[in-house]
């Protein structure tokens, strides 16, 4: 696990807006990140190939849970992420 990302995530508060930069073969990474939908019966993984904005919901020590425009609840292992950027609380 990336200690830098874990430090960033531990500073987040529920409801905070973030930019999520997943690992992506499109941008030269070896792996593409995947997310898991929660609160649904569709268990198929979601391929995360582009950076996106989200609302931070939770961190369980290895996985962040976020809300996006497309997914009301999405879990992503932080080892599948390249970066997380916090937006200013004023935005």
């Amino acid at each position: 696990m990336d200690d830098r990302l874990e430090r960033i995530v531990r500073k987040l508060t529920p409801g905070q807006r973030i930019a999520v930069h997943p690992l992506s073969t499109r941008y030269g990474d070896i792996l593409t990140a995947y997310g898991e939908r929660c609160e649904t019966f569709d268990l198929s993984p979601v391929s995360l190939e582009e950076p996106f904005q989200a609302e931070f919901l939770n961190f369980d020590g290895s996985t962040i849970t976020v809300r996006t425009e497309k997914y009301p609840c999405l879990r992503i292992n932080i080892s599948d992420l390249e970066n997380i950027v916090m937006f200013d609380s004023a935005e």
Side-chain angles (χ1 to χ4, degrees):
M1 180 181 312
D2 187 333
D3 290 338
R4 180 186 61 84
L5 284 180
E6 185 174 355
R7 284 192 304 273
I8 291 170
V9 173
R10 292 210 181 271
K11 293 178 185 175
L12 297 174
T13 57
Q16 188 167 3
R17 298 292 301 166
I18 58 174
V20 179
H21 297 264
L23 294 174
S24 173
T25 54
R26 183 177 295 181
Y27 296 107
D29 297 310
I30 295 172
L31 302 171
T32 295
Y34 287 94
E36 174 185 284
R37 290 178 252 204
C38 38
E39 300 177 1
T40 182
F41 294 111
D42 185 356
L43 299 177
S44 59
V46 176
S47 178
L48 305 170
E49 298 180 0
E50 299 283 338
F52 59 92
Q53 292 184 20
E55 176 185 343
F56 174 76
L57 300 176
N58 188 32
F59 178 59
D60 69 5
S62 62
T63 304
I64 64 168
T65 304
V66 298
R67 177 180 297 131
T68 70
E69 225 175 76
K70 190 172 182 180
Y71 302 105
C73 186
L74 188 65
R75 285 190 208 103
I76 309 161
N77 192 312
I78 65 169
S79 64
D80 285 351
L81 301 178
E82 188 170 312
N83 201 7
I84 296 171
V85 178
M86 296 182 280
F87 291 130
D88 292 338
S89 57
E91 289 185 24

